[in-house]
Amino acid sequence: MKGLGELERSIMDILWAQSGALTAREVGRLIADRDLAPTTIMTVLDRLTRKGFLERTRDGRAWRYAPAATRDAYVAELMLEALDMTGDRSAALTRFAQAVSGREAEILRRALTELEDE
């Protein structure tokens, strides 16, 4: 999974924040801080669909777009890709564990315990 460009990330942030799928026009209204042509928004939505970040369904003459995965799943994938870039996964994981807060470390401990119990 590749990273997202600035505009792609802005559009994904909008879609991740919604409870349902949106049309390109609805996305355009929510990205009001930028002066973008509707065709630009449609192009980015189409590109995100082809990359696998979005799913689209027909709604009359329009398409509705929804994230293919949650923001959490995307961030976890980015973390795994970053981990793959190191020559020493153990060292990278150790460094990461040392950098997280006590609360975050407890969340990791709990998640690992649950995985072991499965």
Side-chain angles (χ1 to χ4, degrees):
M1 180 180 288
K2 298 281 186 207
L4 296 169
E6 180 185 342
L7 181 55
E8 291 174 328
R9 190 172 51 252
S10 294
I11 288 175
M12 287 303 300
D13 285 341
I14 287 168
L15 290 164
W16 276 320
Q18 302 304 307
S19 60
L22 299 178
T23 64
R25 183 173 298 215
E26 291 167 331
V27 171
R29 279 195 292 259
L30 292 171
I31 198 166
D33 62 327
R34 297 179 152 205
D35 186 26
L36 299 172
T39 54
T40 300
I41 294 169
M42 287 186 285
T43 298
V44 175
L45 289 167
D46 184 58
R47 187 178 332 131
L48 288 166
T49 301
R50 283 186 278 117
K51 287 181 173 182
F53 287 100
L54 296 177
E55 296 174 345
R56 70 180 181 185
T57 55
R58 197 49 111 164
D59 184 10
R61 294 179 58 200
W63 289 105
R64 289 201 165 273
Y65 297 87
T70 64
R71 181 192 315 260
D72 293 339
Y74 170 68
V75 171
E77 187 66 30
L78 286 177
M79 293 169 68
L80 289 170
E81 285 181 11
L83 191 57
D84 285 342
M85 291 172 27
T86 181
D88 187 350
R89 288 175 73 105
S90 294
L93 284 169
T94 300
R95 188 88 161 144
F96 178 77
Q98 292 168 341
V100 299
S101 71
R103 172 143 170 69
E104 293 165 335
E106 181 55 38
I107 292 168
L108 286 171
R109 263 190 229 94
R110 204 172 324 125
L112 291 170
T113 300
E114 288 173 11
L115 286 172
E116 288 174 352
D117 292 343
E118 289 180 356

